[in-house]
Each structure stands twice: as structure tokens, then as C-alpha cells.
């Protein structure tokens, strides 16, 4: 083979489905060649089961955990097999799969700290006949780190420039930022809610999984009282390293903020205000670190209203998507986990103490080898 091939699998906090990408990397040029991509949506039933298991906070090995884990693992396997069929590739030509798994409980400040993902790496390796790297968070957390975010190492590899302070902002269920300052160590942390509250409110009020293009939120008006109550939440003022998820930002969190005001707010106004919360929290993070360019990626890029509000907040900073840098926004995280799998297979440490707060860098991910033929 003239090039090594890797597959990245990503299903994030938005619970919309699985992104699967087949790529190769040029380490000298620090470039990515995307060979294939597919997005496999979760059924409404599976999404409901995932929401149920997240709320239940099960432990690994419990019947509830095993049931949903088996279902999701089969979907990961099918995504891989369908992807390589789509591009007419053979499993033996693929060096490894990087599977992030589906986070269902992330407690970096728990006692003890832990992070739990669905997705059986051993089963994926057995059924696809491809080496599989999973469980990317544990090694970092064992060294006192947050175990998240994990993609800043890839952002540094792919997007660093010598003279610019660039910020890469991923808007998934949770939004996170990577600050690439040529004169400082990489900074990265979870900013706060990306799509998670927007989607949760749309589901509650419209019975829709998301607000298409932000069209519903556009009909509403920003409620300043609600916005002020939300933006004052202690998470936003915490210094990094920090990470968060649905365990913190969820419909219960939102309803408590609304109830505290003791006033009636129209549902569409809540949606408009949630859009502003995501946009302003992103803007403040980028401005704090004197970003000269902001690059957006993740599913939130497809929300036109949200993108407009981010651009408005960052009126003096150019805002682009990562497509301008050669990687489509929807699949960037999947590409990142393919890269993390490549690094793990080559013994390259990708844990970033400046991002996660770990005591030192570490090899991220557990390897499950494909069966010998």
C-alpha cells in the first residue's frame, strides 16, 4: 500500500447519528485526504433509549447499559462495513478504526472521576476485521485530566499557522474551543451548550429533534432576563481546563432557569434566547484569547441563525468554517478520531496537559486487534 487508511467513527452529544469517515494522512504536509464519508441517523427509538440511559446514569455492565451498548455497537459495525463497501475498499487495507463511542455519563469532577462511553471496541474489531482504538478518555483521566476535549491535538496538527492566533470551535451538542497561539501552549475546553439545549427545547415544544436552520428560533425574540440568568451560570465563569455534557446542560437545567423568573416566556422566544446563549458564550471565549480568525465546525454550522449570531457577536473577527481549511465541518470530529487512532497505533502521545489538566501527556485509546486470518 502506498498510503495508510484509517476510519473515524463519531457520535456526539447531539445524539443525531454516526459520522463515519475513511481518510489518509500526510504527516509531512499535515494534510488529510478524505476518501469516503457517510452519516447514519439514529432512529427515534434509539435516540429515546440513549436519552433514557443518559438520565438513568447506569454503570458499565448493568442490563440497561448492555442492551443499548449492543445495539449501538452493531450500528458502528454496520457504518464501517457500509462505508468500505461504498468506496470499494477492503478491510485488510485499513490500518485502524478510531471509535469515540457514545458518551452517556461524563463526570470528570466526580469522586472518583469517570467517563462512560457506549461502543464495544473488541466487538467492532472482531466483526469488521479491522484493528479498533476506543476508550480514548481513560488514560488522561487516570493522570488527573478532564478526559476532554480530545480533538485539540488534531486541531494543532492540522490547522496551526506560524503567525496567527486561530480558534477552532466545534459546535456539537456541547461547544468546545481550541486556541492555537504560536507563542503559547494549546488552550482548549468545553465552552458550554452548543446544540444540546436548542435540540432539547425543540423536542419538548415541537416534537422535533432539532430546529431546522434555526427557522423557529428566528421567529422569536431574545428575552434579556432569561439570557442574563443563563449566562450567569457558574460554569461559564469557571477557568479551564473544564469539560461538560448533558449531565449538566439539559432540559431540567433550562426549566429551572425559566421557572426562576416567575414570568411567562413564549416557547419561540426561549429558542431565540438559547441561540443567543450559544453564540455569545462562543464569542466571549474567542475574544478572551485574542483570536484573529475563528473556524467553525460541527453540526451547529448548519443552523443559519446560530451562525449569524456568532458572526454578529464576533463582528471584528473573521469567521469561517473548516471547509476553508480542507475539512468539511460535519465530519471534522470523525476525522480527528481517525487521526487519534493513527497516533495510538504508532505510539504517539496525544494527551494534552495544557488542555485537560492531566499531570503529563499520555497515549490515548485502547487497542483491540483484528482477528488473525
Amino acid at each position: 500500500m502506498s498510503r495508510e487508511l484509517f476510519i473515524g467513527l463519531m457520535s456526539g452529544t447531539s445524539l443525531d447519528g454516526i459520522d463515519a469517515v475513511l481518510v489518509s494522512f500526510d504527516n509531512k504536509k499535515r494534510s488529510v485526504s478524505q476518501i469516503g464519508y457517510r452519516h447514519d441517523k439514529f432512529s427515534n427509538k434509539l435516540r429515546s433509549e440513549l436519552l433514557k440511559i443518559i438520565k438513568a446514569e447506569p454503570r458499565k455492565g448493568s442490563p440497561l447499559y448492555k442492551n443499548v451498548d449492543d445495539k449501538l455497537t452493531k450500528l458502528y459495525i454496520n457504518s464501517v462495513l457500509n462505508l468500505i463497501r461504498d468506496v470499494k475498499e477492503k478491510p485488510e487495507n485499513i490500518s485502524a478504526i478510531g471509535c469515540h463511542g457514545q458518551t452517556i455519563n461524563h463526570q470528570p469532577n466526580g469522586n472518583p472521576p469517570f467517563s462512560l462511553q457506549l461502543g464495544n471496541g473488541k466487538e467492532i474489531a472482531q466483526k469488521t476485521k479491522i484493528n479498533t482504538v476506543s476508550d480514548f478518555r481513560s488514560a488522561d483521566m487516570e493522570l488527573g485530566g478532564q478526559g476532554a476535549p480530545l480533538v485539540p491535538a488534531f486541531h494543532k496538527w492540522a490547522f496551526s499557522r506560524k503567525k496567527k492566533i486561530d480558534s477552532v470551535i466545534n459546535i456539537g451538542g456541547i461547544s468546545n474551543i481550541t486556541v492555537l497561539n504560536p507563542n503559547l501552549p494549546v488552550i482548549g475546553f468545553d465552552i458550554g451548550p452548543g446544540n444540546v439545549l436548542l435540540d432539547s427545547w425543540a423536542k419538548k415544544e415541537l416534537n422535533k429533534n432539532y430546529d431546522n436552520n434555526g427557522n423557529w428560533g428566528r421567529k422569536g425574540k431574545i428575552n434579556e432576563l432569561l439570557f442574563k440568568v443563563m449566562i450567569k451560570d457558574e460554569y461559564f465563569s469557571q477557568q479551564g481546563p473544564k469539560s461538560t455534557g448533558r449531565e449538566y446542560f439539559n432540559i431540567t437545567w433550562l426549566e429551572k432557569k425559566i421557572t426562576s423568573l416567575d414570568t411567562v416566556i413564549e416557547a419561540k422566544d426561549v429558542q431565540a434566547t438559547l441561540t443567543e446563549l450559544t453564540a455569545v458564550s462562543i464569542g466571549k471565549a474567542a475574544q478572551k484569547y485574542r483570536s484573529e480568525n475563528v473556524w467553525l465546525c460541527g453540526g451547529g454550522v448548519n443552523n443559519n441563525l446560530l451562525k449569524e449570531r456568532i458572526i454578529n457577536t464576533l463582528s471584528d473577527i473573521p469567521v469561517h468554517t473548516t471547509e476553508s481549511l480542507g475539512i468539511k465541518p460535519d465530519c471534522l470530529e470523525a476525522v480527528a478520531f481517525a487521526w487519534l487512532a493513527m497516533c495510538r497505533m504508532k505510539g504517539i502521545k496525544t494527551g494534552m496537559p495544557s488542555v485537560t489538566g492531566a499531570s503529563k501527556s499520555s497515549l490515548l485509546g485502547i487497542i483491540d486487534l483484528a482477528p488473525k486470518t
Side-chain angles (χ1 to χ4, degrees):
M1 284 177 61
S2 59
R3 58 181 177 176
E4 284 189 280
L5 302 178
F6 295 88
I7 287 176
L9 295 175
M10 181 68 200
S11 54
T13 316
S14 292
L15 303 178
D16 56 345
I18 298 168
D19 290 312
V21 63
L22 177 64
V23 292
S24 66
F25 301 101
D26 185 325
N27 284 307
K28 289 184 178 179
K29 295 181 180 178
R30 293 195 172 193
S31 63
V32 181
S33 295
Q34 185 176 311
I35 296 138
Y37 168 74
R38 63 181 291 125
H39 176 77
D40 294 309
K41 287 186 177 181
F42 289 152
S43 66
N44 286 334
K45 182 180 178 182
L46 178 60
R47 192 171 188 274
S48 295
E49 289 177 333
L50 288 168
L51 287 168
K52 180 180 178 181
I53 197 172
I54 288 168
K55 191 173 182 180
E57 297 186 358
R59 293 291 175 173
K60 193 170 185 176
S62 69
L64 180 60
Y65 177 95
K66 191 176 186 311
N67 176 47
V68 185
D69 187 49
D70 288 345
K71 290 180 181 180
L72 192 60
T73 298
K74 288 177 183 177
L75 286 180
Y76 286 136
I77 292 165
N78 288 337
S79 288
V80 169
L81 296 178
N82 288 331
L83 177 64
I84 59 178
R85 182 205 62 201
D86 292 345
V87 298
K88 298 179 174 58
E89 195 50 83
K90 296 178 181 179
E92 57 265 31
N93 292 337
I94 298 168
S95 297
I97 297 166
C99 179
H100 170 268
Q102 181 64 57
T103 301
I104 57 170
N105 201 352
H106 181 64
Q107 301 286 354
N109 302 313
N111 186 19
F114 70 95
S115 188
L116 186 58
Q117 284 76 40
L118 296 169
N120 187 322
K122 185 176 182 180
E123 185 75 7
I124 295 170
Q126 288 289 321
K127 294 294 172 63
T128 63
K129 298 180 173 59
I130 302 170
N131 300 327
T132 299
V133 184
S134 60
D135 191 9
F136 285 92
R137 301 183 188 274
S138 295
D140 183 82
M141 296 185 79
E142 287 169 5
L143 293 169
Q146 292 274 313
L150 296 175
V151 292
F154 172 70
H155 292 161
K156 179 183 179 182
W157 178 86
F159 302 138
S160 284
R161 297 186 294 175
K162 292 181 180 179
K163 296 182 180 180
K164 294 284 186 179
I165 303 175
D166 289 333
S167 286
V168 183
I169 295 173
N170 176 68
I171 313 171
I174 298 298
S175 61
N176 55 64
I177 186 171
T178 301
V179 182
L180 302 170
N181 185 326
N183 301 312
L184 295 172
V186 174
I187 295 167
F189 55 87
D190 285 348
I191 297 168
N195 304 314
V196 63
L197 297 177
L198 290 164
D199 293 350
S200 297
W201 190 246
K203 184 67 175 178
K204 181 179 184 296
E205 295 295 322
L206 303 180
N207 197 28
K208 293 182 178 180
N209 290 336
Y210 60 94
D211 178 10
N212 188 35
N213 291 325
N215 291 336
W216 183 43
R218 193 182 294 278
K219 295 176 182 177
K221 296 180 180 179
I222 298 165
N223 184 291
E224 293 295 339
L225 287 175
L226 178 59
F227 175 79
K228 288 177 181 178
V229 166
M230 293 193 296
I231 201 70
K232 285 181 180 178
D233 186 272
E234 62 181 3
Y235 181 82
F236 295 109
S237 60
Q238 288 175 12
Q239 298 298 308
K242 61 178 181 177
S243 58
T244 189
R246 281 182 181 269
E247 301 78 19
Y248 191 87
F249 289 108
N250 51 45
I251 196 72
T252 301
W253 180 91
L254 173 59
E255 289 175 339
K256 284 181 179 178
K257 301 296 184 187
I258 295 171
T259 303
S260 72
L261 296 175
D262 194 27
T263 187
V264 176
I265 305 174
E266 284 195 53
K268 62 184 179 182
D269 292 347
V270 173
Q271 190 74 354
T273 309
L274 288 173
T275 305
E276 192 72 357
L277 176 69
T278 294
V280 170
S281 58
I282 284 171
K284 285 187 173 183
Q287 289 165 339
K288 179 178 179 179
Y289 295 100
R290 297 182 291 110
S291 304
E292 295 173 83
N293 284 282
V294 168
W295 307 89
L296 303 178
C297 59
V301 172
N302 300 314
N303 183 322
N304 291 335
L305 176 62
L306 176 58
K307 194 158 60 172
E308 288 172 20
R309 297 311 301 164
I310 292 170
I311 292 169
N312 180 74
T313 302
L314 294 172
S315 56
D316 56 341
I317 302 173
V319 178
H320 326 264
T321 73
T322 55
E323 188 146 14
S324 304
L325 298 172
I327 303 178
K328 292 181 178 180
D330 285 330
C331 65
L332 187 138
E333 279 201 297
V335 172
F337 279 92
W339 181 84
L340 288 167
M342 177 194 72
C343 292
R344 182 64 183 88
M345 297 300 292
K346 295 179 181 296
I348 299 170
K349 293 180 178 180
T350 52
M352 301 192 80
S354 66
V355 171
T356 67
S359 58
K360 61 180 179 179
S361 184
S362 58
L363 287 169
L364 300 182
I366 302 297
I367 300 172
D368 285 294
L369 296 175
K372 294 181 179 179
T373 55

